[in-house]
Amino acid sequence: MRGNRIVGGIPVGIENLINLQILDFSTNHLTREIPVDVRKLQKLQTFGLSNNKFQGVIPSSFGNLTRLAILRLSGNNLHGSIPLSLRSCQRLVELRLDRNNLTGTVARELLSLSSLLYLNISRNNLTGSLPVEIGNLRNLEELDVSDNMLSGKFPNSPGSCVKLRLLMMKGNKFWAILPSSLSNLRGMEELDRSHNNFSGKIPDYLEGFIFLRTLNLSFNDFDGVVPERGIFSNATAVSVKGNKQLCGGKPELKLQSCIPKELRKKGFTQTMKIIFSICFGSLGLLLLLCFLYLHCIRKTTKVPLFEHLRNPFVQLSYQSLLKATNSPANLIGEGSFGSVYKGTLDRVGKSIAVKVLNLQFRGASKSFIAECKALKNIKHRNLLKVLTACSSVDYNGNDFKALVYEFMANGSLEEWLHPNEDDQKEHEMSKCLNILQRLNISIDVAYALDYLHHHCETPVVHCDLKPSNILLDSDMIGHVGDFGLAKFVSEDSYDSSANQSSAMGIRGSVGYAAPEYGMGNEASTLGDMYSYGILLLEMFTGKRPTDNMFDDNLSLRNFAKKALPEQVASVVDPTLFHEREKGEAASSVENAQIQSFASSHQINECLISILKVGIACSEEVPRDRMSINDVITQFCQIRNTLLELQVDYVEMSSSVCMSLSSSL
């Protein structure tokens, strides 16, 4: 019911809908009080009343809704305290009570909800201190307590919430220095501590928060020197105004110099003498070092940095990678275990992609080791080429692990199959792959799998084949990447039916992982074939396997299978022929010929054959799945057919144009 103009209150009798799981009246004009009878909706999982005009208190009966996962009461006129009964909602992952008139303190009992991911109690009239039990919320990603009347010493315990991305506490009366425990929050993206009474020096560990996009420390009592690295190098992303004792920092911050004015005047002459002495001494030392360097370099062969990149054992430091990816604007993707940045190496100017592992995520280190092992001895034109790996420490002494790849100019297949609205506007619908391009990419991926499964010294199972892991270079050639879940299998079992038990759990991504993995079976090449089949169906239908239209009764595979052969045109992606249809200058006769080509019998047969391959590869029983060699053979035949049809189409179009010209 959200986003309407409904007035009045929640209707009487709503408690009779005992099977209701989602109830959302957000953004309406509802008033009155929240009825206590909602406690009868025992199956309720989502309850949204945000942006209305509800009055009264938050009913304590909410504690009866033990299945509740999301509770949104933002933007109303609710008063009173936060009911302690909410501690019974042990499945609660999102609690938003902001923009009300709530009073009282933040109860310790509320902070026992270890399931919470998002907690927003900002813009109320809450008082007291923030309990140390806030550290119990180990899974918390967003915490907003801004614009209340909270006070006292800010606790150290939020440092235990290592998944925090957003921490907002502006407009309160917190005091003391920033605790060192917050250095654990290296995944922080937004941090706002403005309009409080924090004091002391700005901690250096904030420089190492590589994901931090905005930092607001304004109107506090900080003193000392403002750092200049990391987030502080971007003056537009940092605010420190209103701290009269701060100095230094970037010139754009317009802070006073850290050298007192009196000392600058008094010691100017003496300082200049010291500077001249140091300069002349340094110049002599520099000349000596240059002589030694030139003497030594004659005895060695000069190797350009570009040549070093071809050496799989080249070493790159944390500093060089940080310099190559020194802007948040370079972030081009985020995965299960880290983020990917575009960078440029000095002197060479070579574009690279740097995958920085977030070692706070469970399994990130294991993923790094697995990918290094998998990429160490494999090389194929359809595999993403790794240039080097970096295992080092950052400026704070924390472990730092990254992989450096060749940069793929056309991004991932995911971006082409499912461009977001901004991409569509920016490219004016140019991000469309026609049928031949999709088939070529399918063949590229098939060649990569054939190499991994049959031509490596030890067969490699990728285990996470999906569009976001298929990268496209400037020539639209497909490259399989992200070997973080890859597994080596023995020669005598790599083509087995995956019936051996394993305690590893599901290996891969939801929708693409083979069903036998869900039963604990070992990884096998047949599991990769299942993922490849789902990938094919997604490429040619344009629908993700996790689309909302699919449920227990309908899957992507069944969706495609039911349409064969008569209804194939109803399930294929309509943008398959977009490139041929978007020519604005085409005549009506030519457009008719194009439509005829797009819907021709031969094209229809090719699409049927492609979808049949996808269905055959994604069979439920592993041993029934199609082999990768048969896939390559069939797809090469289909491609030859399409190329012949394309030649016929060009000749046909030329004859049409000639006849039109002669008639004119």
Side-chain angles (χ1 to χ4, degrees):
M1 297 291 184
R2 67 178 301 156
N4 289 287
R5 299 178 182 178
I6 303 173
V7 298
I10 294 179
V12 176
I14 194 74
E15 67 274 8
N16 295 326
L17 305 180
I18 58 174
N19 289 315
L20 205 60
Q21 297 181 17
I22 300 175
L23 178 58
D24 194 348
F25 281 107
S26 301
T27 317
N28 281 287
H29 302 297
L30 296 174
T31 55
R32 304 175 189 171
E33 296 184 356
I34 302 172
V36 296
D37 285 342
V38 296
R39 67 179 184 273
K40 298 179 181 179
L41 303 178
Q42 294 290 315
K43 296 185 180 181
L44 204 60
Q45 298 175 20
T46 299
F47 192 18
L49 300 180
S50 297
N51 302 317
N52 282 284
K53 299 177 182 178
F54 283 103
Q55 301 174 355
V57 299
I58 301 174
S60 60
S61 59
F62 276 155
N64 294 341
L65 306 179
T66 56
R67 296 189 184 184
L68 200 62
I70 298 174
L71 178 58
R72 298 172 181 150
L73 304 179
S74 309
N76 285 286
N77 297 319
L78 299 172
H79 60 82
S81 60
I82 302 173
L84 296 181
S85 60
L86 287 177
R87 63 185 175 185
S88 300
C89 303
Q90 291 295 315
R91 299 185 184 182
L92 205 60
V93 297
E94 181 176 342
L95 178 60
R96 301 191 185 274
L97 307 177
D98 53 291
R99 292 177 290 127
N100 282 286
N101 297 312
L102 300 176
T103 56
T105 61
V106 181
R108 289 178 168 83
E109 291 80 1
L110 180 66
L111 303 180
S112 66
L113 298 172
S114 59
S115 59
L116 272 180
L117 300 181
Y118 311 100
L119 176 59
N120 191 338
I121 52 176
S122 63
R123 299 176 65 177
N124 282 287
N125 299 310
L126 300 173
T127 57
S129 60
L130 190 64
V132 295
E133 284 78 7
I134 191 73
N136 295 334
L137 307 181
R138 300 297 177 90
N139 296 311
L140 199 63
E141 295 185 15
E142 295 183 9
L143 173 63
D144 193 343
V145 297
S146 303
D147 299 314
N148 280 284
M149 293 184 285
L150 299 173
S151 59
K153 185 177 180 181
F154 189 78
N156 294 330
S157 53
S160 302
C161 308
V162 294
K163 295 184 179 179
L164 263 180
R165 297 183 296 103
L166 182 146
L167 180 56
M168 314 292 280
M169 53 186 64
K170 72 180 182 71
N172 286 286
K173 298 179 182 179
F174 292 119
W175 59 274
I177 63 173
L178 296 183
S180 59
S181 62
L182 295 185
S183 61
N184 297 329
L185 309 181
R186 293 192 292 261
M188 188 68 66
E189 297 175 7
E190 296 183 35
L191 179 59
D192 191 342
R193 295 184 166 232
S194 60
H195 295 275
N196 280 282
N197 297 317
F198 290 111
S199 59
K201 299 185 182 302
I202 297 177
D204 293 336
Y205 60 70
L206 292 175
E207 294 179 300
F209 285 12
I210 60 175
F211 302 108
L212 196 58
R213 297 194 303 264
T214 59
L215 174 63
N216 193 346
L217 303 176
S218 59
F219 298 100
N220 282 283
D221 295 319
F222 290 110
D223 58 52
V225 182
V226 175
E228 296 189 20
R229 295 184 299 183
I231 183 70
F232 297 98
S233 64
N234 181 7
T236 60
V238 176
S239 178
V240 292
K241 60 185 179 181
N243 293 276
K244 297 180 181 180
Q245 301 302 317
L246 286 177
C247 63
K250 289 292 181 181
E252 294 89 342
L253 296 177
K254 299 180 179 179
L255 297 175
Q256 60 184 338
S257 171
C258 293
I259 303 175
K261 188 176 181 180
E262 294 78 9
L263 289 179
R264 291 202 302 270
K265 290 181 178 179
K266 185 177 179 179
F268 177 76
T269 304
Q270 191 174 6
T271 303
M272 291 303 297
K273 291 180 180 179
I274 295 173
I275 290 175
F276 278 120
S277 300
I278 293 174
C279 287
F280 282 115
S282 300
L283 182 60
L285 181 62
L286 181 63
L287 291 173
L288 178 62
L289 291 175
C290 288
F291 172 78
L292 293 174
Y293 174 77
L294 292 173
H295 178 73
C296 294
I297 201 170
R298 289 193 185 102
K299 297 182 179 181
T300 59
T301 303
K302 187 176 180 181
V303 182
L305 181 59
F306 182 77
E307 292 298 321
H308 280 292
L309 288 178
R310 295 176 185 172
N311 181 354
F313 303 106
V314 66
Q315 295 182 354
L316 292 177
S317 66
Y318 168 76
Q319 183 179 5
S320 62
L321 291 180
L322 182 63
K323 190 174 183 180
T325 60
N326 61 357
S327 171
N330 289 341
L331 180 66
I332 57 177
E334 295 181 288
S336 303
F337 299 115
S339 302
V340 181
Y341 296 83
K342 179 183 178 182
T344 304
L345 289 180
D346 285 345
R347 293 191 290 165
V348 178
K350 181 180 180 65
S351 293
I352 57 173
V354 183
K355 179 180 179 181
V356 180
L357 279 296
N358 188 340
L359 300 179
Q360 296 177 7
F361 289 158
R362 182 180 178 185
S365 295
K366 188 175 180 180
S367 170
F368 175 79
I369 295 171
E371 192 151 7
C372 287
K373 286 182 178 179
L375 295 172
K376 182 179 179 182
N377 296 314
I378 60 177
K379 185 178 181 181
H380 190 272
R381 71 184 294 269
N382 295 122
L383 295 180
L384 185 61
K385 183 180 179 182
V386 64
L387 301 177
T388 188
C390 176
S391 183
S392 182
V393 293
D394 62 18
Y395 291 136
N396 295 314
N398 301 311
D399 287 342
F400 173 83
K401 297 185 187 299
L403 290 157
V404 182
Y405 305 95
E406 279 189 337
F407 178 69
M408 295 286 109
N410 278 309
S412 71
L413 179 60
E414 170 83 13
E415 298 166 11
W416 287 83
L417 295 179
H418 311 289
N420 58 41
E421 293 183 2
D422 293 337
D423 286 341
Q424 292 282 33
K425 292 176 182 177
E426 180 181 352
H427 297 280
E428 295 182 352
M429 293 298 290
S430 63
K431 272 206 167 184
C432 291
L433 297 171
N434 61 36
I435 183 173
L436 191 55
Q437 288 174 313
R438 298 187 199 211
L439 185 60
N440 281 331
I441 296 169
S442 302
I443 294 174
D444 291 337
V445 177
Y447 277 129
L449 286 182
D450 179 54
Y451 169 78
L452 293 172
H453 294 174
H454 302 108
H455 302 287
C456 291
E457 182 177 349
T458 303
V460 179
V461 181
H462 186 276
C463 292
D464 199 18
L465 206 61
K466 58 184 178 180
S468 60
N469 289 338
I470 310 300
L471 288 305
L472 305 175
D473 63 17
S474 56
D475 296 321
M476 297 301 288
I477 295 174
H479 301 257
V480 177
D482 196 343
F483 284 77
L485 297 179
K487 182 176 175 62
F488 293 94
V489 293
S490 59
E491 291 283 355
D492 56 350
S493 64
Y494 78 93
D495 58 349
S496 68
S497 60
N499 58 2
Q500 298 179 8
S501 179
S502 169
M504 70 179 182
I506 295 180
R507 184 178 288 272
S509 300
V510 175
Y512 303 92
E516 63 267 20
Y517 290 169
M519 296 181 286
N521 289 347
E522 287 280 2
S524 72
T525 57
L526 296 176
D528 274 358
M529 290 308 301
Y530 179 89
S531 303
Y532 180 71
I534 298 299
L535 174 68
L536 286 177
L537 296 177
E538 181 175 358
M539 288 177 65
F540 288 90
T541 64
K543 297 190 180 298
R544 292 186 175 94
T546 56
D547 193 285
N548 291 333
M549 69 177 292
F550 302 129
D551 52 27
D552 294 337
N553 299 319
L554 181 65
S555 64
L556 174 59
R557 182 177 185 275
N558 294 336
F559 172 73
K561 187 175 182 180
K562 289 179 179 179
L564 297 182
E566 292 85 2
Q567 302 297 321
V568 65
S570 66
V571 298
V572 296
D573 189 345
T575 65
L576 280 171
F577 305 100
H578 174 74
E579 186 176 66
R580 299 188 180 281
E581 295 173 353
K582 69 180 182 180
E584 296 179 359
S587 68
S588 58
V589 176
E590 188 176 356
N591 277 330
Q593 296 286 3
I594 291 173
Q595 294 292 343
S596 175
F597 170 78
S599 59
S600 67
H601 176 72
Q602 295 97 322
I603 293 292
N604 206 52
E605 289 299 315
C606 288
L607 288 171
I608 292 172
S609 299
I610 292 171
L611 293 183
K612 282 184 176 180
V613 170
I615 292 168
C617 290
S618 56
E619 286 284 352
E620 198 80 11
V621 180
R623 62 175 176 272
D624 293 340
R625 292 169 195 161
M626 196 172 188
S627 71
I628 195 65
N629 291 327
D630 291 340
V631 171
I632 293 173
T633 301
Q634 285 202 31
F635 274 0
C636 288
Q637 293 173 352
I638 295 172
R639 180 166 61 182
N640 291 336
T641 301
L642 286 175
L643 290 173
E644 292 173 2
L645 289 173
Q646 193 175 44
V647 171
D648 294 341
Y649 164 76
V650 171
E651 293 175 351
M652 176 184 65
S653 298
S654 300
S655 64
V656 170
C657 290
M658 290 177 63
S659 62
L660 285 172
S661 300
S662 61
S663 63
L664 290 173

